């Protein structure tokens, strides 16, 4: 089957996933649940999905597989991934989310959750192995979602109650925020929670056509729209999320996006965390300070979650994880303004939105000022789409083979002095710049992350890094 697990769930072309894989992989998931004692016959399993055209059909096939395998599918409808996962964690139920997150509309995926958290890398391997064994199994007629128990309203309400204890009442009163709605399943809930805290909300860019929004590499077109909206409506910020609502997009009063790792870091500070777990692609300026331990991992929520579990095992009390895309996870309880935030060890866009906006309001700062006072290095990231996986593998192998190849390739940017190959290739140069090349785990894309002394130099280094990748001679 032409689908595979990436950095976050199963991914593949929508036309491929809509067929046999959308039945076989959920059936393999059930096999794993029963084999490892995470579920028993006739237990319920929650199913949610995003607004992609292919998602309802894939969800329908998954529900048929669940029912045929002896479990009871529960239709949770269109809702954010963190809302589905949180409902499952609180109810002690496994769940799966049909979503391709931020990737193009011609692709889709499935995320799998155990009753107590995301599946790990070992679980992925087991599901893939079981799916291979089941690949020749007879598949019943697949069809539309019909006559299943529906708990969409209950799941959404529970998640909203969680978010209503994060800030004091009227914490955002007097503020005017835009919500870039596009096609994210988080769009209505984001507007609702901001209004709950007293903000005036301007809803922007709602679309009935799926729009892939990558919060880690915001497109030039999206940035232009954010800036135009900020100027036109006099906004204090614009917020949004990716397709399934687990990665935030937060732009300051000028419409300039605040990078996801800074949003995650501000959230950790807001919560008073004593341990931070974040991938190597996050801002290098986020270091141990004031008793906060910082652990770096490979890219992907399974690696962040494993790091958070290790931090808990070492007796850290307040553990927060976040990725460079801004998706923020909590492994422990935290005291909030109006109650206790229970752990949510999967990516969430709502907590960082509220933490960042609430922190700025409480400090009497614009969002740009809140970010600037951290004093972190300037960073930027982007990607080359339609960069064949085979090309990525070949280029990485060549650059990692020896220092001579790497030095020749990076000559226009500087001389390599430090190399980290934890995930992709991260290189510190003699002029203080950092460039990091990493093939995407979800799509045929090559990502480039850079750090430099100022915004202008950072943009220059990013453009040069992308050009080097684009023009790479692999002969």
């Amino acid at each position: 089957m032409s689908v595979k697990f990436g950095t976050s769930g199963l991914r593949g072309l929508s036309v491929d996933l809509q067929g046999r894989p959308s039945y076989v992989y959920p059936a393999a998931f059930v096999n794993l649940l029963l084999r490892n004692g995470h579920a028993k016959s006739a237990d319920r399993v929650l199913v949610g999905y995003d607004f992609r055209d292919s998602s309802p059909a894939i969800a329908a096939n998954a529900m048929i597989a669940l029912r045929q395998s002896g479990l009871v599918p529960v239709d949770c409808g269109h809702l954010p991934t963190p809302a589905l996962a949180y409902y499952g964690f609180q109810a002690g139920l496994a769940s799966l989310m049909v979503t391709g997150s931020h990737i193009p509309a011609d692709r889709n995926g499935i995320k799998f959750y155990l009753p107590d958290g995301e599946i790990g890398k070992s679980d992925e391997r087991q599901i893939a192995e079981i799916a291979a064994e089941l690949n020749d199994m007879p598949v019943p007629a697949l069809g539309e979602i019909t006559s299943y128990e529906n708990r969409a309203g209950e799941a959404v309400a529970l998640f909203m109650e969680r978010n209503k204890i994060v800030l004091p009442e009227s914490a955002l009163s007097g503020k005017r925020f835009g919500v870039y709605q596009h096609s994210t399943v988080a769009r209505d809930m984001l507007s609702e929670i901001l209004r709950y805290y007293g903000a005036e909300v301007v809803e922007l860019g709602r679309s009935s056509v799926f729009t892939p929004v990558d919060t880690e590499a915001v497109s030039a077109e999206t940035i232009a729209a954010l800036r135009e909206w900020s100027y036109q409506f006099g906004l204090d910020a614009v917020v949004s999320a990716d397709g399934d609502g687990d990665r935030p997009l937060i732009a300051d009063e000028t419409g300039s996006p605040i990078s996801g790792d800074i949003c995650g870091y501000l959230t950790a500070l807001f919560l008073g965390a004593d341990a931070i777990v974040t991938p190597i692609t996050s801002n290098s300026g986020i270091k141990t300070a004031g008793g906060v331990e910082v652990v770096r991992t490979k890219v992907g929520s399974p690696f962040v979650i494993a790091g958070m579990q290790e931090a808990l095992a070492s007796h850290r009390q307040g553990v927060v994880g976040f990725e460079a895309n801004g998706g923020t996870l909590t492994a422990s309880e935290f005291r909030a303004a109006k109650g206790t935030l229970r752990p949510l060890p999967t990516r969430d866009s709502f907590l960082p939105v509220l933490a960042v906006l609430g922190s700025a309001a409480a400090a009497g700062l614009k969002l740009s000022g809140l970010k600037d006072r951290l004093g972190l290095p300037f960073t930027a990231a982007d990607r080359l789409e339609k960069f064949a996986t085979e090309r990525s593998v070949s280029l990485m192998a060549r650059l990692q083979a020896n220092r001579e190849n790497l030095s020749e390739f990076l000559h226009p940017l500087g001389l390599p002095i430090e190399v980290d190959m934890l995930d992709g290739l991260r290189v510190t140069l003699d002029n203080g710049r950092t460039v990091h090349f990493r093939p995407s785990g979800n799509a045929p894309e090559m990502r480039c992350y850079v750090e430099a002394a100022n915004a202008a130099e950072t943009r220059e280094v990013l453009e040069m890094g992308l050009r080097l990748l684009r023009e790479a001679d692999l002969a």
Side-chain angles (χ1 to χ4, degrees):
M1 290 178 282
S2 55
V3 298
K4 65 177 184 177
F5 283 100
T7 53
S8 181
L10 188 73
R11 294 289 171 86
L13 290 171
S14 298
V15 294
D16 294 334
L17 196 57
Q18 278 180 264
R20 178 176 289 269
S22 60
Y23 181 90
V24 171
Y25 275 89
F29 179 50
V30 171
N31 191 301
L32 176 77
L33 293 173
L34 297 174
R35 177 187 299 180
N36 293 347
H38 295 300
K40 61 184 184 300
S41 181
D43 275 358
R44 295 183 298 160
V45 177
L46 311 175
V47 180
Y49 37 100
D50 68 14
F51 284 132
R52 291 166 190 269
D53 290 342
S54 61
S55 291
I58 294 170
N61 297 346
M63 288 192 230
I64 293 171
L66 295 174
R67 185 169 59 186
Q68 292 286 324
S69 300
L71 299 187
V72 178
V74 177
D75 182 6
C76 290
H78 297 292
L79 81 172
T81 295
L84 176 75
Y86 186 68
Y87 183 52
F89 298 161
Q90 300 312 307
L93 300 174
S95 59
L96 61 85
M97 178 75 182
V98 178
T99 178
S101 187
H102 64 283
I103 60 178
D106 65 339
R107 296 176 176 272
N108 212 329
I110 305 176
K111 297 179 180 179
F112 300 94
Y113 292 86
L114 302 175
D116 59 354
E118 286 188 27
I119 62 171
K121 286 299 177 182
S122 63
D123 298 313
E124 289 180 355
R125 288 190 290 273
Q126 290 182 67
I127 292 172
E129 290 169 358
I130 297 169
E133 295 171 2
L134 299 178
N135 193 35
D136 294 328
M137 69 185 297
V139 174
L142 305 179
E144 297 180 357
I145 299 171
T146 55
S147 66
Y148 293 112
E149 178 184 1
N150 188 297
R151 292 298 179 94
E154 188 174 314
V156 167
L158 183 66
F159 189 61
M160 290 300 287
E161 287 305 310
R162 168 186 168 83
N163 287 291
K164 287 178 180 179
I165 68 172
V166 175
L167 301 175
E169 289 187 19
S170 303
L172 303 179
S173 180
K175 300 297 181 180
R176 195 176 202 215
F177 300 127
V179 174
Y180 175 30
Q181 295 197 315
H182 62 94
S183 54
T184 175
V185 286
R187 58 193 183 187
D188 294 326
M189 295 172 68
L190 280 173
S191 295
E192 180 182 344
I193 196 64
L194 294 179
R195 289 191 176 108
Y196 172 80
Y197 284 115
E200 178 184 354
V201 174
V202 180
E203 295 177 342
L204 305 161
R206 192 180 184 97
S207 174
S208 59
V209 177
F210 185 81
T211 305
V213 172
D214 188 347
T215 64
E216 192 172 2
V218 185
S219 69
E221 293 78 10
T222 298
I223 293 174
L226 295 172
R227 289 176 175 168
E228 173 60 26
W229 289 328
S230 296
Y231 174 78
Q232 179 182 355
F233 297 105
L235 303 173
D236 293 294
V238 182
V239 301
S240 188
D242 64 337
D244 67 322
D246 70 348
R247 305 177 178 199
L249 173 59
I250 305 174
D252 67 17
E253 70 282 358
T254 71
S256 299
I258 299 174
S259 64
D261 46 5
I262 291 180
C263 295
Y265 186 44
L266 287 168
T267 305
L269 297 177
F270 170 84
L271 293 172
D274 61 7
I276 290 172
V277 182
T278 189
I280 189 174
T281 50
S282 291
N283 193 304
S284 64
I286 299 171
K287 298 178 179 177
T288 303
V292 181
E293 176 187 5
V294 178
V295 178
R296 299 284 180 167
T297 71
K298 290 183 177 181
V299 174
S301 54
F303 297 110
V304 174
I305 291 169
M308 293 195 302
Q309 291 171 340
E310 291 177 9
L312 286 176
S314 64
H315 307 293
R316 290 293 182 175
Q317 300 300 310
V319 181
V320 171
F322 57 84
E323 298 188 74
N325 55 48
T328 302
L329 313 86
T330 55
S332 50
E333 290 187 344
F334 286 95
R335 289 295 303 167
K338 294 185 290 182
T340 299
L341 277 176
R342 294 179 179 176
L344 181 51
T346 193
R347 283 193 306 248
D348 175 23
S349 65
F350 284 74
L351 180 57
V353 165
L354 295 177
V356 171
L357 299 184
S359 294
L365 294 171
K366 295 181 181 295
L367 258 65
S368 60
L370 182 70
K371 176 193 69 174
D372 291 345
R373 75 175 184 178
L374 294 175
L376 298 175
F378 287 83
T379 64
D382 206 343
R383 57 183 172 160
L384 292 181
E385 298 181 279
K386 299 179 180 178
F387 200 96
T389 301
E390 298 78 10
R391 182 175 172 83
S392 296
V393 170
S394 178
L395 179 59
M396 288 293 100
R398 173 184 146 196
L399 298 182
Q400 293 172 346
N402 58 65
R403 186 61 67 92
E404 182 180 351
N405 289 349
L406 183 61
S407 297
E408 180 182 358
F409 185 77
L410 292 177
H411 176 71
L413 289 172
L415 180 66
I417 59 172
E418 185 177 333
V419 178
D420 191 321
M421 293 187 287
L422 174 63
D423 195 341
L425 186 65
R426 188 176 184 88
V427 184
T428 303
L429 304 171
D430 61 342
N431 48 24
R433 300 168 170 177
T434 297
V435 62
H436 186 160
F437 301 129
R438 178 183 161 272
S440 171
N442 296 322
E445 299 172 352
M446 177 68 85
R447 292 184 176 269
C448 180
Y449 312 82
V450 303
E451 295 186 6
N454 55 61
E457 185 181 355
T458 302
R459 287 193 297 271
E460 177 185 338
V461 174
L462 180 60
E463 291 171 4
M464 176 62 74
L466 293 172
R467 184 172 72 80
L468 291 176
L469 291 172
R470 193 179 296 112
E471 298 175 358
D473 181 7
L474 302 181

